Amino acid sequence: MGILDCLKSKKETVTTPTKKTTKRQQVLSHLRKHGSIDSWTAIELYGATRLSAIIFTFRQKGFNIESIDCSALDRNSDVSNYTTYKLIS
């Protein structure tokens, strides 16, 4: 069997590209499932480092999202301020 015979007998597989879920879609899904999200959660789970920009876009599209100011102590016992975003249905 020559190389041409091998090429003819080889089945070609055609794969269609899968549509990637965007960070916005992942954050919106999280908000719908869990009700709220903060920056650290968005970074850890979805790699979304600009959560406030995503929330801004959602608000422009008509989503009712409340900002809740929060504080916690960091690893050095210093106060760290952050925002939690809550989806209001």
Side-chain angles (χ1 to χ4, degrees):
M1 184 190 275
I3 191 160
L4 291 176
D5 295 324
C6 289
L7 292 174
K8 287 179 186 176
S9 67
K10 183 179 177 184
K11 292 183 179 178
E12 290 186 29
T13 57
V14 178
T15 57
T16 56
T18 57
K19 199 167 191 180
K20 183 180 173 187
T21 306
T22 67
K23 291 177 184 181
R24 285 183 187 163
Q25 291 168 328
Q26 292 171 331
V27 168
L28 183 57
S29 177
H30 185 96
L31 280 169
R32 287 181 170 153
K33 184 175 181 181
H34 301 283
S36 65
I37 193 167
D38 59 49
S39 292
W40 190 252
T41 302
I43 291 168
E44 282 187 317
L45 297 179
Y46 313 114
T49 58
R50 300 189 62 232
L51 181 60
S52 61
I54 293 171
I55 298 299
F56 179 83
T57 302
F58 289 160
R59 287 177 174 155
Q60 282 187 321
K61 292 183 178 191
F63 288 95
N64 189 7
I65 298 175
E66 179 183 1
S67 295
I68 303 167
D69 293 328
C70 303
S71 303
L73 295 178
D74 66 10
R75 68 184 95 191
N76 299 318
S77 297
D78 295 325
V79 175
S80 179
N81 299 311
Y82 62 97
T83 301
T84 297
Y85 299 99
K86 182 178 178 183
L87 180 63
I88 309 298
S89 43

